[in-house]
Amino acid sequence: MEKAAKPPQGETRQDYKLVAFADGDPENPKNWSKAFKWYITMVVAITCFVVAFCSSVITADVGGVSESFNVSHEAALVPISVFVVGFGVGPMIFAPLSEVYGRRIIYGSTLLLAVIFIIPCAVSKNIGTLIVCRTIDGIAFSAPMTLVGGTLADLWRNEERGVPMAAFSAAPFIGPAIGPLIGGFLSDAAGWRWLYWIQLIFAFVVWVLITFTVPETYAPTILARRAAKLRKQTGDNGHVTEAELDPRPFSQRIGVFLIRPFQLLFTELIVLLISLYMSVLYGLLYMFFVAYPIIFEVRKGYSSGITGLMFIPVAVGVILSAICSPWVNKHYLTLVAKHEGRPPAEVRLIPMMASCWFIPIGLFIFAWTSYERLTWVGPCLAGLPVGFGFIFLYNAANNYLVDSYQHQAASALAAKTCIRSFWGAGVVLFTEQMYDRMGDQWASSFLAFLSLACCAIPFAFWKYGAAIRRRSKYAYGGDDEETTSDSDVDNANKRETDPYQPLHHDMEDLVRARSYVANP
């Protein structure tokens, strides 16, 4: 479908014929068959699971790496940390590139790069090779994690997206829980190098599926190809898309994307505290990869495989919270109706205020049932409330940032992702020393008290959040901007995993305000 963009009165500039999707357009991903959309959904969700799996599976045999390369245990933990650091760095690169070249080529190229660099990890002769290649893998694997939620948003309309997004939200947390389970038995049977060969197999399978069976889903890229085809067929260069009419050069858009997250992080109290809270939670997840072997292998004498079984309750808790997500979304929609379509951002904090207590409860149980003389049941089942609380807190925090900042939401979420990833990478390196110096019970209790203190954050913003936003330079005002109150609980995931999206929305707002024209 084409719409003529006419110049404003008094200007004599060339009209453009805007290329857009018509109602029922078969090339619009939202109009594809449900079966095909579900196939793509499962492929990208499995990809997300594999990436998360690769981040944690090597934790099952850190000792094997230390022994093979004759390095300290701390040095053997570095490959885990640098991989997580890549999760914070990669989105800054790949998110804006996906806006230019589309999702499919970013998926295919980055997954192929990740597959290639798993091989030198598996055959490495020294710790340096392992660290360098894991760093590259972390950066490359961050691209699928960045784009998966956006792909689902490409395919599903708001009212359809609840279940697909719940599946996606669970994958980043189930993967790290399943990694030590599979890795434990595999390392016991075949050694630590097979922890990389299994990554290679899984990553190669999802690369094949995405590269050869999943088409481009990003609407601006599909429309750009249609416009290029029309220009070639008709010889009329007036056929353009809205994205092609964005007047800002790519370098300027990149600059905004790179600088704005840090502006928000250091000048906005809401962004800073929510980012710190999410960093604490993300760090707890990766601390478990070190704490569980201490409690179950070192103290109780279990094998790596049996220790991996202890992560099952964490995965079960994540799945249960994902199952409950549609009910949370339904409750939010009732609040939207109650506030006549313009609910305050603070209503997003309700699931956070209800679920934040599960994390410290689980950690206190883990702390004081982890004595050597006690059964494994207590510290094992402690993972259930921790896993259950993760997704509720994760989604609620994302949604609160999105509703508080609207067009700046991507930058706010990018700031959160960056600091969260660096913190998650760092905690792995000092967890063992913390347990040695503080003792098992008090080290775990320290984490519990830390998460308990963070429970005050959503309640503080519930009371003072509106006042803080009124004084903010970047927060969404709501009076002179178009409301987005019909967004559902999944929009936060869409913006986080497609963080360059608001820059495109800025352009769309300008299109609504005035038709774009270009110099003759």
Side-chain angles (χ1 to χ4, degrees):
M1 182 179 73
E2 295 182 356
K3 299 179 289 183
K6 297 184 178 181
Q9 186 175 3
E11 296 188 22
T12 58
R13 292 188 280 183
Q14 178 184 349
D15 286 355
Y16 276 106
K17 303 176 182 68
L18 294 182
V19 179
F21 288 130
D23 291 339
D25 195 318
E27 291 189 17
N28 186 346
K30 288 183 170 62
N31 294 329
W32 293 348
S33 71
K34 277 198 172 182
F36 189 48
K37 289 195 290 186
W38 268 112
Y39 171 76
I40 297 173
T41 297
M42 295 308 299
V43 169
V44 295
I46 291 171
T47 301
C48 188
F49 166 82
V50 168
V51 172
F53 171 88
C54 291
S55 74
S56 67
V57 66
I58 66 170
T59 64
D61 196 3
V62 176
V65 174
S66 177
E67 183 179 346
S68 295
F69 297 144
N70 194 28
V71 297
S72 67
H73 191 76
E74 290 77 12
L77 289 170
V78 173
I80 303 171
S81 293
V82 295
F83 190 95
V84 181
V85 167
F87 279 2
V89 174
M92 297 292 190
I93 305 169
F94 300 121
L97 287 179
S98 73
E99 291 285 322
V100 179
Y101 301 108
R103 306 201 195 281
R104 189 167 182 261
I105 190 171
I106 303 298
Y107 274 127
S109 59
T110 55
L111 279 173
L112 179 60
L113 184 67
V115 167
I116 291 171
F117 278 91
I118 291 173
I119 298 173
C121 291
V123 300
S124 58
K125 302 299 182 183
N126 55 69
I127 191 67
T129 301
L130 200 58
I131 291 172
V132 170
C133 293
R134 281 288 286 182
T135 302
I136 296 172
D137 271 336
I139 295 172
F141 269 132
S142 72
M145 293 287 280
T146 300
L147 302 181
V148 164
T151 298
L152 300 188
D154 294 339
L155 296 170
W156 302 95
R157 293 177 172 84
N158 285 355
E159 64 273 13
E160 301 173 321
R161 205 180 298 140
V163 176
M165 276 295 188
F168 157 66
S169 297
F173 296 102
I174 295 177
I178 298 299
L181 171 59
I182 296 177
F185 286 107
L186 187 60
S187 62
D188 285 344
W192 68 268
R193 293 187 186 275
W194 262 97
L195 300 179
Y196 290 97
W197 293 124
I198 191 68
Q199 292 179 56
L200 180 65
I201 294 169
F202 285 179
F204 180 76
V205 169
V206 295
W207 173 75
V208 170
L209 290 175
I210 279 192
T211 302
F212 298 104
T213 69
V214 175
E216 179 61 63
T217 63
Y218 189 50
T221 300
I222 297 172
L223 291 172
R225 292 173 182 171
R226 179 184 289 184
K229 184 178 180 181
L230 287 171
R231 289 194 295 267
K232 183 177 180 180
Q233 289 176 344
T234 64
D236 182 358
N237 290 330
H239 298 280
V240 295
T241 66
E242 288 184 357
E244 291 171 328
L245 290 170
D246 191 336
R248 294 168 297 179
F250 183 63
S251 59
Q252 180 182 343
R253 287 180 281 163
I254 288 287
V256 171
F257 184 83
L258 293 176
I259 295 172
R260 184 58 53 79
F262 298 101
Q263 291 176 323
L264 293 176
L265 181 63
F266 295 113
T267 63
E268 293 292 314
L269 185 62
I270 291 175
V271 177
L272 177 63
L273 291 182
I274 292 293
S275 297
L276 290 176
Y277 192 4
M278 292 299 101
S279 297
V280 168
L281 296 180
Y282 200 65
L284 290 176
L285 180 64
Y286 281 88
M287 279 182 169
F288 277 177
F289 302 146
V290 181
Y292 272 48
I294 291 173
I295 299 301
F296 295 108
E297 289 185 45
V298 178
R299 307 292 189 252
K300 297 184 181 296
Y302 294 169
S303 67
S304 296
I306 298 300
T307 299
L309 292 173
M310 302 298 124
F311 283 91
I312 290 178
V314 178
V316 172
V318 170
I319 293 171
L320 289 175
S321 60
I323 292 173
C324 295
S325 293
W327 280 276
V328 174
N329 183 53
K330 185 177 180 180
H331 175 258
Y332 173 72
L333 293 178
T334 62
L335 295 176
V336 171
K338 179 180 178 181
H339 289 87
E340 299 180 350
R342 298 175 67 92
E346 282 66 39
V347 301
R348 294 290 197 179
L349 295 170
I350 294 174
M352 205 174 188
M353 293 188 291
S355 61
C356 64
W357 309 105
F358 287 99
I359 307 293
I361 287 172
L363 288 173
F364 277 123
I365 294 173
F366 181 80
W368 298 102
T369 60
S370 60
Y371 288 99
E372 293 180 49
R373 66 180 183 273
L374 297 180
T375 180
W376 56 269
V377 174
C380 175
L381 294 183
L384 184 65
V386 173
F388 185 79
F390 270 138
I391 289 185
F392 282 121
L393 292 172
Y394 177 80
N395 283 346
N398 285 349
N399 282 314
Y400 183 53
L401 288 178
V402 168
D403 284 8
S404 295
Y405 292 92
Q406 296 288 332
H407 298 312
Q408 307 295 336
S411 296
L413 290 167
K416 176 183 71 70
T417 300
C418 185
I419 190 174
R420 183 194 70 182
S421 297
F422 277 90
W423 175 251
V427 297
V428 173
L429 301 178
F430 64 74
T431 300
E432 187 172 350
Q433 293 89 332
M434 184 176 70
Y435 271 78
D436 287 341
R437 294 185 181 184
M438 298 180 66
D440 298 345
Q441 286 69 47
W442 283 108
S444 297
S445 294
F446 170 75
L447 302 178
F449 282 119
L450 185 61
S451 63
L452 184 62
C454 288
C455 290
I457 292 175
F459 290 91
F461 285 137
W462 176 263
K463 184 173 182 179
Y464 301 109
I468 293 173
R469 286 187 290 111
R470 281 195 296 270
R471 293 174 174 83
S472 169
K473 176 181 177 182
Y474 296 105
Y476 173 63
D479 297 328
D480 57 350
E481 300 184 61
E482 188 174 8
T483 183
T484 56
S485 59
D486 59 342
S487 61
D488 62 16
V489 72
D490 309 309
N491 283 348
N493 292 318
K494 175 182 177 182
R495 285 177 172 88
E496 180 178 38
T497 50
D498 189 10
Y500 203 53
Q501 183 195 15
L503 295 181
H504 178 64
H505 281 328
D506 289 344
M507 184 273 296
E508 288 179 339
D509 294 336
L510 293 173
V511 170
R512 283 193 290 267
R514 55 165 288 183
S515 297
Y516 270 121
V517 293
N519 292 318

